[in-house]
Amino acid sequence: VFVTAGLRVERIARDPRAPDLTGFANRPPLPENTITSANPKLAAAWYVRSSGGNFTRLRASAGTGIRPPDAFELAFTDNPALKPERSRSVDTGVDLAVAEGRILLESTAFFNTYDDLIIAVGSFLESSRYRTDNISNARSRGLELGGTARGRHGATHVQLRIGYTFLDTEI
């Protein structure tokens, strides 16, 4: 059994920005802003069986995160109140290694919720009065499946990986 806990403390500071009325977005003045955010994470894995290179592992993790508006989002926004987006994430999965570890099969289910998700609104009529804005509640969930096969031919090591993701989102 492996258990990992972590805490990431982020300090996000933005200096005040003067308005830019000559650019594409006609950006209003952006006030000075500082946010400090503590984001915990917890992960656990349990090897149900392990023999040689073969194993079955169950795993899960949960945590929170924060992402400030990036340079592009700030440069072209006309929203003086654009906030960082915050997320809560949970995932669980199973890994199966067979053929002495040469074949690895993985499956992961994930669930993410977002507060203040940053979006580029564009020209969607009546969706927002700004070019970039925050959405108060959004989510994504899905399933990732993957497989890896490793082999060797003489001195050459070969690896083949295939993956599939089913993604369901909602605002």
Side-chain angles (χ1 to χ4, degrees):
V1 173
F2 296 90
V3 177
T4 305
L7 177 67
R8 181 177 174 150
V9 178
E10 296 194 49
R11 181 180 180 274
I12 302 167
R14 180 182 68 208
D15 292 334
R17 306 298 300 165
D20 181 1
L21 303 178
T22 62
F24 168 75
N26 291 328
R27 186 186 69 231
L30 298 175
E32 180 179 346
N33 188 12
T34 300
I35 296 172
T36 301
S37 177
N39 296 293
K41 181 174 183 174
L42 180 64
W46 176 44
Y47 280 85
V48 177
R49 78 172 173 84
S50 179
S51 174
N54 300 330
F55 63 83
T56 301
R57 176 177 53 209
L58 303 177
R59 56 185 163 71
S61 68
T64 65
I66 187 169
R67 185 186 78 81
D70 62 30
F72 181 80
E73 290 161 340
L74 285 175
F76 294 101
T77 192
D78 56 351
N79 183 348
L82 191 62
K83 298 182 273 189
E85 63 185 44
R86 296 177 182 269
S87 63
R88 291 174 306 284
S89 303
V90 175
D91 68 73
T92 185
V94 178
D95 302 328
L96 176 65
V98 295
E100 296 166 351
R102 289 189 305 273
I103 297 175
L104 176 63
L105 304 172
E106 305 160 287
S107 65
T108 304
F110 60 89
F111 309 89
N112 304 312
T113 58
Y114 303 92
D115 295 321
D116 298 322
L117 181 69
I118 300 170
I119 62 162
V121 176
S123 60
F124 296 113
L125 191 59
E126 298 180 22
S127 59
S128 174
R129 64 183 223 177
Y130 300 114
R131 286 193 177 92
T132 55
D133 208 348
N134 296 105
I135 292 179
S136 62
N137 51 14
R139 66 134 181 96
S140 66
R141 62 184 175 192
L143 179 66
E144 293 181 343
L145 303 173
T148 304
R150 296 180 183 104
R152 192 172 146 173
H153 182 41
T156 304
H157 294 270
V158 177
Q159 178 172 304
L160 174 66
R161 173 135 181 96
I162 188 166
Y164 171 78
T165 301
F166 168 77
L167 179 62
D168 178 41
T169 61
E170 184 176 300
I171 294 174

